[in-house]
Amino acid sequence: MTDATPQPTCAQKAPYPVQVEAGKSYFWCSCGNSAKQPFCDGTHKGSGFAPLKYTAEKDGQAWFCGCKATGKAPLCDGRHKVL
Ligand code: FES
Ligand code: FES
């Protein structure tokens, strides 16, 4: 059996709370293999994954998905609770 769609690695079954700044961009790791979770460190190269850019609209806390299975990437939508 082959699966053309690469599956991400679950970095952790919980979101990462990050203090973000309005107007600043962040690159969320979609593959789950970055050592700098929840953000991309380039480890995805050659894996078919790419980071997802997120630009904060306002200052405050953002909850970035750590399980990589969210339906609202890059933010947590609670799906980690049913993994
Ligand atoms: Fe995971 Fe870049 S290291 S998307
Ligand atoms: Fe992935 Fe919550 S950490 S959905």
Side-chain angles (χ1 to χ4, degrees):
M1 193 175 94
T2 56
D3 185 354
T5 307
Q7 295 299 310
T9 301
C10 175
Q12 68 172 23
K13 282 189 187 177
Y16 292 90
V18 177
Q19 206 63 33
V20 295
E21 287 173 46
K24 202 174 158 190
S25 293
Y26 300 84
F27 292 86
W28 177 72
C29 167
S30 65
C31 74
N33 292 319
S34 170
K36 293 185 181 167
Q37 292 297 328
F39 302 122
C40 173
D41 71 352
T43 303
H44 65 267
K45 285 195 180 76
S47 70
F49 284 96
L52 184 66
K53 184 178 176 186
Y54 170 82
T55 304
E57 286 175 4
K58 52 184 178 154
D59 292 349
Q61 189 152 276
W63 296 84
F64 288 93
C65 172
C67 74
K68 312 302 177 185
T70 179
K72 287 187 184 169
L75 303 177
C76 171
D77 71 353
R79 190 170 300 181
H80 63 270
K81 291 179 191 148
V82 297
L83 293 179

